Amino acid sequence: MNWVNAVVQGLLLGGLFALFACGLSLLFGVVGVINLAHGDFAVLGAYVAVLLLPSTATNALWALLFVPPLFGFFGYLLQRTLLQRSLEISPLTTLLVTFGLSVVVQNGLLEAFSADSHSFNVGSLVTSSFKVDEQLQVSYLRLGVLLVAIAVLSVLSLFLARSRTGIQIRAVADDREAAQMSGVNTRHIVGVAAAIAFATVALAGLAYGMTAQFAPYSGSALLLFAFEAVVIGGIGSLWGTLGGGLILGLAQSIGFQIDPSLGVLAGHLVFLGVLAFRPTGLVPARAAA
Amino acid sequence: MTDDVPLSPADDSGAPPLFSDVSRRNVLRGAAGGAFALGAAGVLSACGGGLKGTSSPGAGSSAGNGRKKITIGFITPLTGPVASFAVSDQFVIDTIRKTQKFSGGITSGAKTYDVEIVVKDSQSDPNRATQVARELISQNNVDMILVTSTPEVTNPVATVCEAQAVPCVSTIVPWEAWYFGRGAKPGSEFQYTTMFFFGIGEFGECFIPMWNRISNDKTVALMYPNDVDGNAFRKAFPPLMQKAGYKTVDGGAYTDGTTDYSAMIATFKSAGADIYSNAPIPPDFNTFWKQAFQQGYRPKLATVAKVLLFPSDVEALGPLAENVATDAWWTPHHPFSSSLDGTTSKGIADAFQKATGKQWLQSIGTSYALFEVAHNAFSSVDDPHDRKAVAAALRGMKYTGICGQLDFTAGPVPGVAIIKPVGVQWKKGKDFPYSLEVVDNSANKAVPLTADLKPTRA
């Protein structure tokens, strides 16, 4: 029964990882930016909620309404200004720029909010769960995060596959020049992709802030897990990202069940195994391309 | 390169030439890296100096009145993951600088010396801590280094000081981690480095009486991570618990930063485990404690170490932190006062709250005491620049100040003074959301109780 518990809790954990990885996957797959500041932007999103919520007693679920859109707007601006410019110089410059952004965000948050740690108030949701049996209790909050992750990734996949903007985004991702020649406003389209990516980053930051505690320096650890989920799933594939997140969560949870010192390590080992034996990830992006 | 090989001392020991060549290259690379790091650190600390105002107000005038100067280096994690320990340190330094005993100069032998306090940010990072310690010694020519908050930061600094023969006082580090963590063998003694705080034994004296006051199943759940503190706890604490009649259930040596504790929670649930003991990093406790509630593990009494020491962690956890017990080495209720100007503990805590608008925290007491110790050491020697004499004064010090009596001669090992902590619980507060109340003074009877011990699980 403990194993069932480990699997269920691992999947719930994987939901959070998948949600985190979504923005990273999208930004890399479409815009071509490896965003080293990904984790820090998630934490920034959480701090924006801290700043804008009227008090610490306010239920933080309200922040879901306004922080992701704000972040989408911010992502669009960032893409059109800083990231686009650095991309035009070289991918390496972009890497350095995002690394710089990571340092700026961390230290900026430290100056603005001090090193105090925060966590969101979500009322009784934080402790409530339903009991399957004595060994297995499922938290509504964590289940909610998993469902949100699945919903976000499904909607995005459909959006990319079906909608006009989505098709344009894919066209730009495949061949920017050809897309431009066909009349696509590539800069705007890439900006839209960045906006979506940043909105999901904010969403992930909020989910993290509800389930755990964050401080200005929390971002780096988050980046690692997001990165692993993306690589396990296959770079650029959103369904792969969902699978990658779930596999990472399962690996950590089952590893922990075998031996507590194996928990985080098991996740890293799966990541290394995928890199070694299937570097394209589980779902290779755009296999047809 | 090949010409050099026969000259290598490694050659005499019969090592193959290739080996010595490789090791030399590594040495060179390491040296180059070190030089780069030091250069970068210089730039960074220059910025930090501008922002934090590290130079003493008296520093400029010291040349004018012709007096000589004592320089004290203070290394604290103003930024980084453990910056919550250092929230009050800027206030403490400002307060210390204003006391007559520092602003009026320290009289050492027949002369009075101006005092300069140079503050360096360890950024919660061992490498950075080592760098700033070296800078303080080589650039600022400090006569003493004071360092605070967690073994990760205090140990590298103490190691540099011991090697370079600079007197050093550390605090907020369990003495076992400070002593054994730097490779000391029982019976050996550090010459230049001293510390005051407490160790695992005092955690036992503080926590076990609280457990005994709550009826429980005499089973303790252990959440000790696989890090310096966690392993020290795992080694030293369970024997004390067993002696007191408690069984232990070890949740296992998990890695810091683990995001899912379901397996551990299941272990604790199936064992019963009415008592919960831990030594995690703060964000991990937050994650664990929420999941424990979600998955139905509710110990009758949680006595935590290393977490919930400061108001910010408690506010982050909200109502779930209520009646969680921990240790306190200093509170405004401690009936002790400053050896510098007689201000009471309460007076200092009130001044902090007035100056910053923030709630008092227990690291005010230890940081303040560092400067009391420094003052005592310098005023008891004939020449403050005589490092041997200052170090000897530190090792033999016995005085009473803001943290009560500190006796560096009576500790478990030489050069260690022990503070006896009291048991505290977080309760709903008046001025701030939660307040830290003294609920058990078994280990330190001088401190009055301010509230009743309540089970964590009502």
Side-chain angles (χ1 to χ4, degrees), chain B residues 88-99:
Chain B
S88 59
D89 280 346
Q90 197 58 51
F91 165 83
V92 170
I93 297 154
D94 293 342
T95 308
I96 293 288
R97 279 179 181 149
K98 275 184 230 145
T99 59

Side-chain angles (χ1 to χ4, degrees), chain B residues 334-397:
Chain B
H334 278 58
F336 306 133
S337 47
S338 161
S339 71
L340 299 174
D341 62 5
T343 318
T344 58
S345 294
K346 187 167 186 316
I348 292 174
D350 288 347
F352 171 73
Q353 295 191 167
K354 208 172 148 215
T356 63
K358 289 187 167 233
Q359 190 172 2
W360 67 269
L361 55 161
Q362 40 181 323
S363 46
I364 296 177
T366 28
S367 290
Y368 195 100
L370 281 174
F371 289 94
E372 293 180 335
V373 170
H375 187 278
N376 285 346
F378 284 126
S379 39
S380 69
V381 295
D382 290 329
D383 177 4
H385 304 308
D386 180 351
R387 291 169 169 179
K388 257 204 175 110
V390 174
L394 287 175
R395 290 199 311 275
M397 184 170 305

Side-chain angles (χ1 to χ4, degrees), chain B residues 39-121:
Chain B
V43 174
L44 282 173
S45 67
C47 301
L51 288 169
K52 299 279 178 193
T54 51
S55 70
S56 143
S61 65
S62 63
N65 60 23
R67 287 211 303 226
K68 286 190 174 168
K69 198 169 71 173
I70 293 173
T71 311
I72 300 172
F74 180 42
I75 302 177
T76 169
L78 291 173
T79 58
V82 295
S84 57
F85 283 75
V87 169
S88 59
D89 280 346
Q90 197 58 51
F91 165 83
V92 170
I93 297 154
D94 293 342
T95 308
I96 293 288
R97 279 179 181 149
K98 275 184 230 145
T99 59
Q100 177 59 27
K101 287 210 174 166
F102 273 82
S103 64
I106 295 180
T107 305
S108 192
K111 289 189 207 131
T112 301
Y113 296 80
D114 281 331
V115 189
E116 185 187 2
I117 301 169
V118 184
V119 183
K120 293 280 185 187
D121 179 5

Side-chain angles (χ1 to χ4, degrees), chain B residues 139-441:
Chain B
Q139 291 169 23
N140 301 89
N141 293 314
V142 291
D143 299 297
M144 183 185 291
I145 290 181
L146 309 176
V147 58
T148 178
S149 303
T150 77
E152 284 75 14
V153 179
T154 58
N155 282 8
V157 172
T159 302
V160 170
C161 289
E162 190 67 37
Q164 309 231 11
V166 174
C168 170
V169 189
S170 311
T171 193
I172 314 192
V173 47
W175 72 262
E176 291 93 341
W178 178 88
Y179 185 73
F180 299 115
R182 289 192 295 140
K185 299 274 177 307
S188 64
E189 187 174 347
F190 291 108
Q191 289 303 307
Y192 290 91
T193 49
T194 53
M195 67 156 283
F196 62 90
F197 200 59
F198 48 92
I200 310 287
E202 284 71 27
F203 275 110
E205 284 176 43
C206 179
F207 288 168
I208 294 173
M210 288 198 271
W211 303 345
N212 291 338
R213 287 168 58 188
I214 302 272
S215 80
N216 65 74
D217 64 359
K218 297 270 169 188
T219 306
V220 189
L222 309 180
M223 181 202 181
Y224 298 146
N226 186 14
D227 64 15
V228 183
D229 280 333
N231 291 328
F233 268 76
R234 177 171 290 106
K235 194 164 161 237
F237 208 167
L240 297 177
M241 298 174 185
Q242 280 141 19
K243 213 186 276 172
Y246 287 85
K247 273 192 309 181
T248 58
V249 186
D250 194 340
Y254 69 97
T255 313
D256 283 333
T258 295
T259 37
D260 185 89
Y261 296 90
S262 307
M264 191 188 286
I265 291 165
T267 309
F268 293 164
K269 264 165 68 180
S270 57
D274 280 348
I275 306 289
Y276 166 76
S277 164
N278 72 359
I281 57 173
D284 288 355
F285 176 65
N286 187 300
T287 310
F288 170 87
W289 199 235
K290 283 179 179 169
Q291 291 178 5
F293 273 68
Q294 290 162 1
Q295 296 174 31
Y297 173 60
R298 298 283 312 271
K300 275 193 179 158
L301 187 63
T303 49
V304 301
K306 207 178 159 180
V307 293
L308 298 188
L309 293 171
F310 306 115
S312 70
D313 293 328
V314 176
E315 278 165 49
L317 204 48
L320 305 193
E322 222 174 305
N323 286 323
V324 172
T326 183
D327 56 288
W329 55 84
W330 182 84
T331 72
H333 315 296
H334 278 58
F336 306 133
S337 47
S338 161
S339 71
L340 299 174
D341 62 5
T343 318
T344 58
S345 294
K346 187 167 186 316
I348 292 174
D350 288 347
F352 171 73
Q353 295 191 167
K354 208 172 148 215
T356 63
K358 289 187 167 233
Q359 190 172 2
W360 67 269
L361 55 161
Q362 40 181 323
S363 46
I364 296 177
T366 28
S367 290
Y368 195 100
L370 281 174
F371 289 94
E372 293 180 335
V373 170
H375 187 278
N376 285 346
F378 284 126
S379 39
S380 69
V381 295
D382 290 329
D383 177 4
H385 304 308
D386 180 351
R387 291 169 169 179
K388 257 204 175 110
V390 174
L394 287 175
R395 290 199 311 275
M397 184 170 305
K398 184 173 174 180
Y399 88 104
T400 303
I402 199 75
C403 286
Q405 192 188 57
L406 294 183
D407 187 346
F408 287 77
T409 62
V413 293
V416 173
I418 293 291
I419 303 176
K420 294 283 187 184
V422 290
V424 290
Q425 275 184 320
W426 291 94
K427 312 261 185 194
K428 277 217 156 51
K430 285 193 201 100
D431 301 334
F432 296 95
Y434 296 94
S435 77
L436 192 62
E437 301 294 343
V438 182
V439 293
D440 191 290
N441 59 5

Side-chain angles (χ1 to χ4, degrees), chain A residues 9 117 119 126 129 142 213 261, chain B residues 260 262 290-291 294 313 316:
Chain A
Q9 305 292 349
S117 43
S119 189
V126 70
S129 55
R142 284 161 51 109
Q213 169 181 343
S261 58
Chain B
D260 185 89
S262 307
K290 283 179 179 169
Q291 291 178 5
Q294 290 162 1
D313 293 328

